[in-house]
């Protein structure tokens, strides 16, 4: 059994389930229309509603996952709470013994129907904190991102309901021009929440549209990506903690990956989209890696994806750079990112490369004129980093902001 499965479940290898986790996109529809979003469709999109899996089909999907030993389902979207059967599906997953990790913008929780959802969460807790994405601390900033009047009021009302019900949740954000000046205010508010043990994370290095369906929207998303050096400055706001976390990460995961494409959990975890198609992960919509679960089982999809772990890159530029780069795990260059950017599985994403190199230089792993795919001394630099970093570094806040995956609902 792979290290991924053991880490994902916390169980000894001999007890690890066949399916580590299940990610489900209940819908691609959303009640927000966020500037940077890589997945959303309008809340009332009739074609999307017609094509989405039914309640019965989703329950069958959850049962198959439970039969494969799945211990946690992540429910995302779009905005999953838009589904009128959300409570029914949530109860089904919990009664099957699975924890439920819910990603939401929280707005539906601030509506009349939201009171009933919160009551369900109180009486049948999800077992892991809900994750809520915050787009701004005030109506002007929030709605400049969400582009929906009244959305901030609903979000705050939803948060207040969770607090009143003592339902555990944490918050994160997408760092964008309308809310960038509110970072201190956001972090102060977030770290005062009962279950927010660490400073909130930020999505900054946004994914393009996963379905490669909107070139104009992709241009907007790309324009909103933070400059690599500015992103590093955000991560360094809590420098000591960031350096310590990155040293641990570096010791465990850094190193040239060779030509293997999938160095992740592909083949052990599955994503199911709103229409009943399996994919290896949330961002990888490549048709040749999509399996229709209306004619195949989750077990058959898992077996089909076992071959991914042996897939190798053939793109000469990938082999010259990514395959030889000790920063590969840091830059998150992967088949999903290559697909969304280029429509292939092994084309380097230059923006991710620039971000990784900016982080490495700030951490002292690279000199200004070095690149990760030709550096032969990286191992000693990573191992020796804490000794160098302790000299004259800022103490600052007690916790470190982390990067969040590019925002979904979220």
């Amino acid at each position: 059994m792979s290290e991924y499965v053991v880490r994902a479940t916390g169980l000894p290898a001999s007890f690890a389930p066949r399916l580590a986790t299940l990610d489900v996109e209940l819908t691609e529809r959303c009640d927000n229309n966020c500037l940077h979003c890589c997945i959303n469709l309008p809340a009332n999109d009739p074609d999307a509603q017609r094509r989405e899996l039914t309640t019965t089909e989703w329950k069958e999907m959850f049962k198959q996952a439970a039969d494969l030993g799945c211990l946690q389902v992540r429910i995302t979207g779009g905005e999953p709470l838009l589904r009128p059967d959300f409570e029914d599906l949530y109860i089904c997953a919990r009664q099957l013994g699975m924890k439920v990790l819910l990603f939401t913008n929280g707005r539906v929780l601030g509506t009349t129907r939201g009171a009933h959802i919160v009551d369900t969460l109180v009486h049948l807790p999800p077992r892991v904190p809900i994750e809520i994405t915050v787009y701004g601390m005030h109506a002007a900033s929030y709605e400049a991102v969400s582009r929906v009047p009244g959305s901030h009021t609903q979000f705050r009302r939803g948060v207040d309901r969770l607090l009143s019900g003592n339902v555990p949740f944490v918050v994160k954000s997408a760092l964008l021009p309308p809310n960038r000046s509110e970072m201190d205010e956001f972090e102060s508010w977030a770290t005062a929440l009962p279950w927010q043990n660490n400073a909130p994370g930020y999505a900054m290095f946004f994914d393009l549209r996963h379905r490669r369906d909107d070139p104009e929207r992709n241009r907007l998303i790309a324009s909103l990506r933070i400059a690599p050096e500015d992103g590093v400055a955000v991560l360094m706001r809590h420098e000591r903690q960031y350096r310590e976390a990155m040293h641990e990460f570096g010791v465990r995961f850094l190193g040239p990956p060779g030509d293997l494409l999938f160095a992740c959990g592909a083949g052990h975890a599955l994503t199911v989209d709103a229409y009943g198609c399996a994919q290896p992960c949330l961002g990888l919509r490549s048709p040749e890696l999509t399996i229709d679960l209306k004619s195949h089982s989750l077990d058959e999809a898992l077996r089909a994806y076992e071959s991914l772990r042996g897939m190798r890159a053939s793109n000469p530029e990938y082999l010259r750079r990514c395959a030889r780069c000790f920063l590969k795990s840091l830059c998150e260059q992967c088949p999903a990112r290559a697909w969304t950017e280029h429509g292939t599985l092994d084309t380097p994403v230059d923006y991710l490369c620039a971000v990784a190199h900016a982080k490495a230089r700030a951490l002292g792993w690279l000199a200004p004129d070095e690149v990760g795919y030709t550096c032969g001394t990286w191992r000693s630099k990573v191992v020796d980093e804490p000794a160098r970093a302790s000299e004259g570094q800022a103490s600052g806040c007690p916790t470190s902001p982390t990067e969040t995956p590019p925002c979904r609902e979220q």
Side-chain angles (χ1 to χ4, degrees), residues 271-325:
T271 293
V272 181
D273 74 8
Y275 318 113
C277 290
Q279 288 116 9
C281 71
L282 287 167
L284 188 50
R285 311 291 178 161
S286 175
E288 65 267 28
L289 297 180
T290 297
I291 298 173
D292 186 352
L293 294 174
K294 292 184 178 180
S295 54
H296 297 83
S297 67
L298 284 180
D299 182 62
E300 289 172 327
L302 272 178
R303 293 182 188 279
Y305 289 145
E306 286 176 357
S307 63
L308 295 179
R309 298 193 288 277
M311 285 187 68
R312 297 183 180 274
S314 60
N315 184 308
E317 191 64 6
Y318 184 100
L319 296 176
R320 184 183 75 85
R321 292 164 50 187
C322 307
R324 300 169 57 202
C325 185

Side-chain angles (χ1 to χ4, degrees), residues 9 13 25 39 54 77 94 102 122 159 218-219 222 250 261 282 290 325 344-345 351 360 363 367 374 378 405:
T9 62
E25 295 174 342
I39 193 69
T54 66
R94 289 291 293 111
L102 173 63
V122 168
V159 165
N218 275 349
R219 285 190 286 272
L261 273 177
L282 287 167
T290 297
C325 185
T344 68
L345 300 182
Y351 176 70
L363 291 165
T374 60
W378 65 269

Side-chain angles (χ1 to χ4, degrees), residues 107-274:
R107 283 186 54 199
V108 173
L109 299 176
T111 66
T112 302
R113 177 174 158 245
H116 186 268
I117 295 175
V118 171
D119 188 58
T120 300
L121 296 170
V122 168
H123 288 91
L124 187 60
R127 298 288 306 278
V128 287
I130 296 166
E131 296 193 12
I132 298 178
T133 305
V134 180
Y135 299 112
M137 291 302 295
H138 305 279
S141 55
Y142 189 103
E143 292 171 13
V145 175
S146 71
R147 300 191 289 190
V148 178
S151 54
H152 178 260
T153 297
Q154 284 188 336
F155 146 71
R156 290 305 295 256
R157 189 181 298 135
V159 165
D160 288 343
R161 277 190 172 146
L162 291 175
L163 288 169
S164 296
N166 202 34
V167 178
F169 70 95
V170 295
V171 295
K172 53 194 177 184
S173 186
L175 198 59
L176 291 156
N179 62 31
R180 208 165 282 173
S181 64
E182 298 176 352
M183 292 177 66
D184 288 340
E185 182 181 4
F186 170 60
E187 290 183 19
S188 177
W189 172 76
T191 52
L193 295 172
W195 306 278
Q196 192 86 28
N197 295 324
N198 297 303
Y202 299 91
M204 301 178 283
F205 311 118
F206 305 116
D207 277 358
L208 302 185
R209 298 284 290 184
H210 289 163
R211 295 202 182 277
R212 297 179 53 79
D213 58 356
D214 192 336
E216 183 177 351
R217 186 68 171 267
N218 275 349
R219 285 190 286 272
L220 172 59
I221 295 170
S223 74
L224 295 169
R225 286 171 164 169
I226 198 167
E229 293 74 18
D230 292 341
V232 169
V234 172
L235 297 172
M236 286 286 193
R237 281 164 64 85
H238 309 284
E239 185 173 350
R240 181 186 298 276
Q241 290 74 28
Y242 180 65
R243 286 185 180 277
E244 290 175 353
M246 292 310 298
H247 169 69
E248 180 180 353
F249 173 88
V251 169
R252 294 184 63 189
F253 299 114
L254 291 187
D259 60 355
L260 285 175
L261 273 177
F262 288 90
C264 57
H268 299 300
L270 283 176
T271 293
V272 181
D273 74 8

Side-chain angles (χ1 to χ4, degrees), residues 337-388:
R337 265 70 180 214
W339 164 255
T340 58
E341 299 272 341
H342 302 295
T344 68
L345 300 182
D346 62 355
T347 303
V349 179
D350 290 338
Y351 176 70
L352 295 176
C353 183
V355 169
H357 280 78
K359 293 177 184 176
R361 290 179 182 120
L363 291 165
W365 295 349
L366 286 175
D369 59 344
E370 285 184 309
V371 291
Y373 42 91
T374 60
C375 179
T377 59
W378 65 269
R379 191 177 300 276
S380 63
K381 291 182 179 181
V382 172
V383 171
D384 292 343
E385 169 62 17
R388 296 196 315 276

